[in-house]
Amino acid sequence: QVQLVESGGGLVQPGGSLRLSCAASGSIFSINVMAWYRQAPGKERELDAVITSGGSTNYADSVKGQFTISRDSAKNTVALQMNSLKPEDTAVYYCNADVAGYSGTYYKYWGKGTLVTVSS
């Protein structure tokens, strides 16, 4: 009964920027960690950035200084600002969150992904 929906993906030229958003909805008591992952064609899904409920962030080395994760806890949303995009950033980007319903038990939820294509 919890859904994560990503938005903001699309086609962008190398060097361009995109801002991805993810909104959690449903029976939500609280959300702990939220994160963004990518899955490029033919590759494993990998973590790009995480943000805790307190706002602490961590990034994969490959995106430090390039991507910025943020969240609005009041709105149950998380965003990923993606700058200086390169063709190798082409991937489906997935939102992930540890969400507790009113049972108090946390479960990991995934969005369906949003495609980012970096190409000239």
Side-chain angles (χ1 to χ4, degrees):
Q1 56 189 20
V2 174
Q3 300 85 38
L4 303 180
V5 180
E6 302 96 338
S7 62
L11 176 64
V12 63
Q13 295 186 32
S17 298
L18 284 175
R19 184 176 178 87
L20 306 182
S21 295
C22 172
S25 62
S27 298
I28 299 171
F29 178 73
S30 65
I31 302 177
N32 190 9
V33 174
M34 303 186 82
W36 285 97
Y37 289 73
R38 72 171 71 182
Q39 189 161 22
K43 298 186 66 177
E44 295 280 306
R45 191 171 299 184
E46 62 184 46
L47 178 66
D48 280 334
V50 295
I51 185 166
T52 70
S53 60
S56 297
T57 60
N58 281 289
Y59 298 91
D61 288 341
S62 59
V63 305
K64 286 182 178 178
Q66 182 188 0
F67 292 0
T68 302
I69 189 170
S70 60
R71 70 188 288 171
D72 185 337
S73 294
K75 297 180 179 180
N76 293 328
T77 60
V78 62
L80 187 69
Q81 179 66 45
M82 309 165 66
N83 298 325
S84 302
L85 286 164
K86 304 177 290 291
E88 50 263 45
D89 293 318
T90 295
V92 177
Y93 286 78
Y94 294 91
C95 177
N96 171 263
D98 290 334
V99 182
Y102 295 100
S103 69
T105 302
Y106 282 89
Y107 296 94
K108 186 179 294 293
Y109 292 88
W110 293 91
K112 294 181 179 179
T114 185
L115 177 63
V116 173
T117 302
V118 185
S119 176
S120 59

